[in-house]
Amino acid sequence: MNEKHPLYKECIQRESELYARTGDFRTPFMRDYNRIIFTTAYRRLKHKTQVFFAPDNDHICTRAEHVSLVESISYTIAKQLGLNTELTRAISAGHDLGHAPFGHGGEKILSTICKKHGLENFWHEKNSLHLVDDLCLLEDDQHIEHNLDLTYAVRDGIIAHCGEVNQRVIKPRKEKIDLKEFKTPGQYQPYTLEGCVVKMSDKIAYLARDIEDAWNLHIIDEKDMEDLKTDINKVIPGLFKTINNGTVVNYFIQDVIKNSNEEGIGLSNEAFEIMKIFMKFNYTHIYEIKKVQIHTQYVQLILESLFSFLYEYGQHDNFVLDLKKDAGRYPLIIDHYLKWLTRYSTLIHEERYQNHIVYDFDHDPLALEKSIIDYLSGMTDHFIIDAFHELLAYR
């Protein structure tokens, strides 16, 4: 997509106009990419789980590495197909900003808490859009904090990126919609081919990378790998001499490039079958093993305890005052939550924050619940564990 594309003007639209600097040579999508990577939410990705929680091993994939892999894969595909690599880069950078701590396990638990308290389901694609629309702030030259105000195409690619749905060909939808119409993951396809590239790249990025981590953590063994090769050989004999991130990513990238066109981003029938084999293997041997189930119970205790702790304060007549009184006892939990309310709520809002009010405690009966869910979902694995330990400590 370039300036001559018939949808270009629609795709670069922002909900409000950004300030401009003299001599700024960046395109709208370049500017979006910069705005995303300058956020604190982007920085926190390095301490968020991809699959394996808070590992001591420095070589286990984090959410930040996954985002870099998606960016790299989508760049290669887009470059070869003559698409806009600046757009794929920006979508990739922002696509997982809304992931909860502890990966998909944390996401499911937060969704359960949301349902219990009358909120909509929590899902990371929607939460990623919520972050870039409402919660990620940048400071201007006058120390004033503003929302990101990203372009439509980047925002669309972020919420439409769901990689858990099996599709051989991803075709862009034809109509521009209000992105708030998304009610479930994968409900609509991306509006641009570049968004479709990122959606395909997201799945390619984690297939073999998760297997490498499982191997290094001794979760899978040589027999498991031989069984995987046997299943793949039934589709294409001798395809992989070695199964690792490089060989698998290279295979799928080349297949996507050969089987994509202006109608959609696709895989060959054989590659699609092999992708399904990888997915089945990963769910059986990695995502649904007992160790993961036990860890999920631990995560549930942490998230529910912290939610209940802050929710109880919200029932007090002097909610903010009581929080301030106890901030010294719980500096990690309460002090940071007060700062959160200062940025986004009607309760305590400073003039330097000229961003959207997200929690209207005067008119929204669920403002408290929304604020706590957003606060918890933004935490890194290590921070939320330290906050939980603060609940248990005696002073």
Side-chain angles (χ1 to χ4, degrees):
M1 174 176 291
N2 54 38
E3 294 181 12
K4 295 180 180 179
H5 194 284
L7 299 180
Y8 184 77
K9 287 187 178 179
E10 289 185 344
C11 287
I12 63 170
Q13 286 179 354
R14 304 179 189 273
E15 294 195 350
S16 59
E17 189 173 347
L18 291 182
Y19 63 89
R21 289 191 177 101
T22 303
D24 195 339
F25 55 83
R26 294 172 298 172
T27 67
F29 300 139
M30 285 175 67
R31 198 167 186 192
D32 280 359
Y33 175 76
N34 291 150
R35 293 179 75 74
I36 290 168
I37 66 171
F38 289 166
T39 64
T40 55
Y42 184 84
R43 297 174 207 167
R44 291 196 298 269
L45 293 176
K46 64 180 176 289
H47 294 305
K48 284 199 169 189
T49 290
Q50 174 63 15
V51 173
F52 299 103
F53 147 73
D56 295 326
N57 188 328
D58 291 336
H59 301 140
I60 300 302
C61 190
T62 64
R63 188 65 57 181
E65 183 194 334
H66 168 72
V67 166
S68 294
L69 288 170
V70 174
E71 186 179 322
S72 173
I73 293 167
S74 63
Y75 174 87
T76 303
I77 295 172
K79 180 76 172 176
Q80 293 303 309
L81 295 178
L83 300 176
N84 192 317
T85 57
E86 293 172 2
L87 177 52
T88 58
R89 195 180 191 198
I91 296 170
S92 298
H95 84 282
D96 269 358
L97 288 183
H99 253 293
F102 311 116
H104 287 279
E107 180 175 0
K108 291 176 182 176
I109 294 162
L110 284 180
S111 189
T112 299
I113 296 173
C114 285
K115 289 184 208 174
K116 181 179 178 181
H117 289 271
L119 301 177
E120 294 180 357
N121 286 350
F122 181 96
W123 40 289
H124 77 269
E125 294 92 347
K126 183 179 80 169
N127 198 50
S128 293
L129 181 65
H130 178 40
L131 256 77
V132 299
D133 279 357
D134 303 313
L135 302 179
C136 289
L137 308 180
L138 288 180
E139 187 180 84
D140 66 14
D141 298 341
Q142 307 300 318
H143 297 296
I144 303 299
E145 302 266 356
H146 300 276
N147 295 108
L148 297 187
D149 287 321
L150 303 181
T151 60
Y152 180 85
V154 172
R155 296 172 58 242
D156 170 80
I158 286 172
I159 194 170
H161 83 264
C162 179
E164 279 70 54
V165 179
N166 279 331
Q167 291 174 270
R168 189 180 71 81
V169 180
I170 305 172
K171 296 182 178 181
R173 69 175 191 276
K174 298 187 182 299
E175 67 285 349
K176 183 182 177 185
I177 62 173
D178 181 346
L179 298 180
K180 291 183 174 58
E181 290 183 25
F182 274 85
K183 299 302 179 185
T184 57
Q187 181 178 357
Y188 300 103
Q189 299 304 332
Y191 190 50
T192 64
L193 278 170
E194 287 84 355
C196 296
V197 168
V198 174
K199 182 171 181 174
M200 183 69 79
S201 300
D202 185 29
K203 179 164 288 190
I204 294 172
Y206 67 71
L207 286 177
R209 189 64 187 84
D210 294 350
I211 291 173
E212 279 196 0
D213 283 351
W215 173 268
N216 290 328
L217 293 171
H218 308 291
I219 292 170
I220 58 177
D221 56 26
E222 289 187 14
K223 183 181 182 305
D224 296 323
M225 295 299 287
E226 287 303 316
D227 290 344
L228 176 58
K229 276 188 187 180
T230 298
D231 289 339
I232 292 172
N233 285 337
K234 293 175 183 176
V235 181
I236 301 180
L239 178 62
F240 297 117
K241 292 182 180 179
T242 301
I243 293 177
N244 57 38
N245 201 45
T247 59
V248 173
V249 166
N250 178 67
Y251 167 70
F252 281 113
I253 285 178
Q254 292 201 32
D255 191 89
V256 170
I257 292 169
K258 292 174 184 175
N259 292 279
S260 298
N261 52 44
E262 65 277 2
E263 297 296 320
I265 305 302
L267 294 163
S268 65
N269 290 326
E270 294 82 2
F272 186 52
E273 289 305 310
I274 289 169
M275 179 174 279
K276 288 191 286 187
I277 289 170
F278 272 111
M279 288 301 301
K280 182 179 179 181
F281 178 89
N282 285 14
Y283 271 94
T284 302
H285 294 85
I286 301 173
Y287 308 145
E288 295 177 348
I289 61 173
K290 180 165 285 190
K291 189 180 288 288
V292 170
Q293 295 171 5
I294 293 172
H295 172 252
T296 299
Q297 295 170 9
Y298 172 60
V299 171
Q300 184 173 352
L301 174 64
I302 292 175
L303 289 171
E304 289 183 349
S305 297
L306 288 170
F307 182 92
S308 297
F309 176 79
L310 292 172
Y311 183 76
E312 184 178 330
Y313 275 95
Q315 313 314 305
H316 297 187
D317 292 334
N318 298 311
F319 173 33
V320 174
L321 183 61
D322 288 348
L323 281 170
K324 289 180 176 179
K325 285 179 181 177
D326 289 345
R329 294 173 57 200
Y330 304 101
L332 282 181
I333 309 170
I334 292 181
D335 188 55
H336 285 81
Y337 180 57
L338 285 168
K339 291 176 181 176
W340 191 267
L341 293 177
T342 301
R343 291 185 180 94
Y344 307 114
S345 81
T346 52
L347 291 175
I348 39 177
H349 197 73
E350 297 177 3
E351 287 187 10
R352 74 185 188 95
Y353 295 110
Q354 294 185 13
N355 53 296
H356 306 152
I357 292 293
V358 184
Y359 318 118
D360 185 349
F361 280 81
D362 297 323
H363 301 98
D364 184 356
L366 296 175
L368 171 68
E369 292 85 344
K370 292 175 182 176
S371 70
I372 300 173
I373 289 292
D374 286 348
Y375 177 51
L376 294 178
S377 71
M379 292 180 178
T380 64
D381 299 359
H382 292 295
F383 183 90
I384 204 167
I385 289 171
D386 289 343
F388 178 64
H389 287 167
E390 194 173 72
L391 288 183
L392 304 177
Y394 291 97
R395 293 176 181 268

